[in-house]
Amino acid sequence: MEKCRHIGGVTKMLVIGGAVFFDSIQIIAQFFHTIPVLGTVVALMLSWVVTSIAFLTFTFVFLALRIKFIQRKPGKMLAFGGSFVAEMVPLIQALPTWTISVLIVFWLESR
Protein backbone atom coordinates (compact mmCIF):
# COMPACT_ATOMS: atom_id res chain seq x y z
CA MET A 1 0.00 0.00 0.00
CA GLU A 2 1.32 3.35 -0.90
CA LYS A 3 1.21 6.18 1.57
CA CYS A 4 -1.37 8.84 0.81
CA ARG A 5 0.39 12.18 1.17
CA HIS A 6 -2.49 14.29 -0.06
CA ILE A 7 -5.60 14.41 2.05
CA GLY A 8 -8.42 16.53 0.68
CA GLY A 9 -9.58 19.72 2.34
CA VAL A 10 -13.11 18.42 2.86
CA THR A 11 -11.78 15.32 4.60
CA LYS A 12 -9.57 17.42 6.86
CA MET A 13 -12.46 19.71 7.76
CA LEU A 14 -14.72 16.75 8.59
CA VAL A 15 -12.10 15.19 10.86
CA ILE A 16 -11.37 18.54 12.54
CA GLY A 17 -15.13 19.07 12.95
CA GLY A 18 -15.36 15.68 14.66
CA ALA A 19 -12.55 16.68 17.01
CA VAL A 20 -14.33 19.94 17.85
CA PHE A 21 -17.53 17.95 18.49
CA PHE A 22 -15.79 15.60 20.95
CA ASP A 23 -14.07 18.53 22.68
CA SER A 24 -17.42 20.33 23.00
CA ILE A 25 -18.94 17.33 24.74
CA GLN A 26 -15.97 17.28 27.13
CA ILE A 27 -16.51 20.97 27.96
CA ILE A 28 -20.22 20.36 28.62
CA ALA A 29 -19.30 17.39 30.85
CA GLN A 30 -17.27 19.74 33.04
CA PHE A 31 -20.44 21.53 34.12
CA PHE A 32 -21.65 18.35 35.82
CA HIS A 33 -18.83 18.81 38.36
CA THR A 34 -20.85 21.62 39.93
CA ILE A 35 -23.40 19.06 41.18
CA PRO A 36 -22.08 17.44 44.38
CA VAL A 37 -21.12 13.74 44.30
CA LEU A 38 -23.54 12.44 41.65
CA GLY A 39 -22.53 15.15 39.18
CA THR A 40 -18.87 14.29 39.58
CA VAL A 41 -19.56 10.61 38.97
CA VAL A 42 -21.64 11.43 35.88
CA ALA A 43 -18.96 13.81 34.58
CA LEU A 44 -16.19 11.24 35.00
CA MET A 45 -18.19 8.44 33.39
CA LEU A 46 -19.26 10.67 30.49
CA SER A 47 -15.74 11.92 29.89
CA TRP A 48 -14.28 8.39 29.89
CA VAL A 49 -16.90 7.14 27.45
CA VAL A 50 -16.47 10.14 25.13
CA THR A 51 -12.67 9.86 25.29
CA SER A 52 -12.77 6.17 24.43
CA ILE A 53 -15.16 6.71 21.53
CA ALA A 54 -13.07 9.63 20.23
CA PHE A 55 -9.86 7.60 20.47
CA LEU A 56 -11.36 4.68 18.55
CA THR A 57 -12.98 6.99 15.98
CA PHE A 58 -9.80 8.88 15.19
CA THR A 59 -7.74 5.68 15.17
CA PHE A 60 -10.00 4.19 12.50
CA VAL A 61 -10.17 7.45 10.53
CA PHE A 62 -6.38 7.83 10.47
CA LEU A 63 -5.96 4.18 9.52
CA ALA A 64 -8.44 4.66 6.67
CA LEU A 65 -6.48 7.72 5.53
CA ARG A 66 -3.29 5.62 5.67
CA ILE A 67 -1.64 7.83 8.26
CA LYS A 68 0.98 5.83 10.11
CA PHE A 69 1.83 6.63 13.71
CA ILE A 70 4.88 4.44 14.21
CA GLN A 71 7.74 6.02 12.30
CA ARG A 72 11.20 7.28 13.03
CA LYS A 73 9.75 10.52 14.33
CA PRO A 74 7.22 9.77 17.08
CA GLY A 75 5.46 13.15 16.91
CA LYS A 76 2.11 11.83 15.67
CA MET A 77 1.97 9.05 18.22
CA LEU A 78 2.92 11.44 21.05
CA ALA A 79 0.30 13.99 20.01
CA PHE A 80 -2.44 11.38 19.70
CA GLY A 81 -1.50 9.43 22.84
CA GLY A 82 -0.96 12.60 24.83
CA SER A 83 -4.42 13.77 23.91
CA PHE A 84 -5.91 10.48 25.10
CA VAL A 85 -4.12 10.74 28.47
CA ALA A 86 -4.98 14.43 28.90
CA GLU A 87 -8.66 13.73 28.30
CA MET A 88 -8.68 11.31 31.24
CA VAL A 89 -7.61 14.01 33.72
CA PRO A 90 -10.46 16.08 35.20
CA LEU A 91 -10.41 19.82 34.35
CA ILE A 92 -7.65 19.32 31.77
CA GLN A 93 -10.21 17.49 29.65
CA ALA A 94 -11.97 20.82 29.11
CA LEU A 95 -9.06 21.90 26.91
CA PRO A 96 -9.45 21.21 23.17
CA THR A 97 -6.87 18.43 23.16
CA TRP A 98 -8.51 16.31 20.43
CA THR A 99 -8.65 19.29 18.09
CA ILE A 100 -5.03 20.19 18.77
CA SER A 101 -3.99 16.56 18.34
CA VAL A 102 -5.75 16.23 14.97
CA LEU A 103 -4.22 19.50 13.76
CA ILE A 104 -0.73 18.32 14.81
CA VAL A 105 -1.19 14.97 13.05
CA PHE A 106 -2.31 16.67 9.82
CA TRP A 107 0.53 19.17 10.05
CA LEU A 108 3.13 16.46 10.59
CA GLU A 109 1.64 14.36 7.78
CA SER A 110 1.88 17.25 5.30
CA ARG A 111 5.59 17.80 6.03
Side-chain angles (χ1 to χ4, degrees):
M1 293 182 144
E2 63 185 54
K3 186 173 182 180
C4 182
R5 278 291 196 192
H6 178 69
I7 300 168
V10 174
T11 304
K12 285 183 182 179
M13 293 309 295
L14 287 172
V15 175
I16 292 169
V20 169
F21 173 74
F22 285 122
D23 284 333
S24 299
I25 293 174
Q26 294 285 14
I27 291 169
I28 292 169
Q30 287 301 310
F31 291 113
F32 285 108
H33 282 292
T34 59
I35 303 169
V37 184
L38 183 62
T40 301
V41 171
V42 170
L44 289 175
M45 295 297 287
L46 181 64
S47 68
W48 290 342
V49 169
V50 170
T51 298
S52 299
I53 292 171
F55 181 78
L56 291 173
T57 300
F58 290 124
T59 298
F60 290 129
V61 166
F62 289 142
L63 285 174
L65 294 174
R66 296 187 184 127
I67 295 176
K68 297 179 182 177
F69 288 98
I70 300 174
Q71 295 177 339
R72 292 183 183 172
K73 297 178 183 177
K76 294 179 217 171
M77 189 169 49
L78 288 175
F80 198 61
S83 179
F84 179 74
V85 171
E87 288 290 341
M88 292 294 185
V89 179
L91 298 178
I92 293 177
Q93 66 193 8
L95 299 173
T97 56
W98 285 119
T99 306
I100 293 169
S101 173
V102 167
L103 290 172
I104 289 172
V105 168
F106 281 145
W107 178 69
L108 290 173
E109 184 66 18
S110 66
R111 288 180 28 184

